[in-house]
Amino acid sequence: MLMKAAFQGAGTDEEFKKKLTARKRLLLAGVTMGILAIAAGIMMIFVMPDTEQNAFLAGVYCGAGTAAVVMGTAALYKMRKMLRDESLLRKERIKEGDERTSEIGKKATVFGVQIYLFAMLAGILVSGFFSMQVFWTLWGTTLGLALIIKGTELYYKKKM
């Protein structure tokens, strides 16, 4: 959903093909990161001490990596199929160009980020009483997200 929102606005099939090519590069990067996560999880099993925490993290890395590889590969397969079939490409371009769906996605993203920020701020307030490590982690994550939002806002102000 988010990747489709980032590459919207294709007026012709050729423009849509270019956007799909850019999307394909991101998917390949995601699949590569998934493979690296799986490798890190496997390496963690053999290199790190045999503790419950390391076993848990190895499982998380392998699971998240596998999910990234499977979902990315499925999306790449669908995209490859689309690029070879002009009628399927046109149908998908029209479907993705639907203004109502686009607007719903934008509103859902904005509202989701607002909820996330309020939850992070609540977490910052509560964690300050219990753990400074958690406090600083939440603070850094919230500040990072705020900087990303401001940076993308400045980018789109210059672009549009």
Side-chain angles (χ1 to χ4, degrees):
M1 178 70 179
L2 290 176
M3 193 179 308
K4 287 180 181 179
F7 294 103
Q8 284 185 336
T12 65
D13 288 348
E14 288 304 315
E15 285 179 37
F16 189 58
K17 281 183 181 180
K18 288 179 185 175
K19 290 185 183 283
L20 286 178
T21 304
R23 197 184 296 176
K24 188 165 43 171
R25 281 189 224 116
L26 281 176
L27 284 169
L28 285 170
V31 169
T32 303
M33 289 175 66
I35 292 168
L36 291 173
I38 293 169
I42 292 170
M43 191 171 72
M44 184 174 266
I45 292 170
F46 293 109
V47 175
M48 301 297 286
D50 190 21
T51 64
E52 192 174 312
Q53 180 179 346
N54 289 340
F56 171 77
L57 286 175
V60 169
Y61 291 168
C62 288
T66 301
V69 169
V70 169
M71 290 188 312
T73 303
L76 285 168
Y77 175 75
K78 181 182 175 187
M79 197 176 298
R80 183 176 180 201
K81 193 174 170 184
M82 237 188 303
L83 288 169
R84 291 183 177 187
D85 184 358
E86 292 294 324
S87 65
L88 187 60
L89 180 79
R90 182 173 192 74
K91 186 177 171 183
E92 189 67 23
R93 177 180 63 84
I94 291 169
K95 181 179 151 189
E96 284 189 22
D98 180 34
E99 293 172 7
R100 183 176 180 272
T101 305
S102 171
E103 195 61 30
I104 289 170
K106 288 176 188 174
K107 286 186 180 209
T109 302
V110 168
F111 192 61
V113 168
Q114 288 174 343
I115 291 170
Y116 179 78
L117 281 173
F118 281 114
M120 292 295 281
L121 291 172
I124 288 169
L125 291 173
V126 171
S127 68
F129 292 103
F130 303 105
S131 171
M132 287 307 291
Q133 277 184 311
V134 174
F135 171 85
W136 287 115
T137 302
L138 294 177
W139 178 257
T141 304
T142 304
L143 184 62
L145 178 60
L147 291 173
I148 289 169
I149 291 169
K150 195 61 178 172
T152 53
E153 180 185 340
L154 292 172
Y155 170 80
Y156 282 112
K157 278 184 179 178
K158 285 184 181 180
K159 186 177 178 182
M160 295 179 168

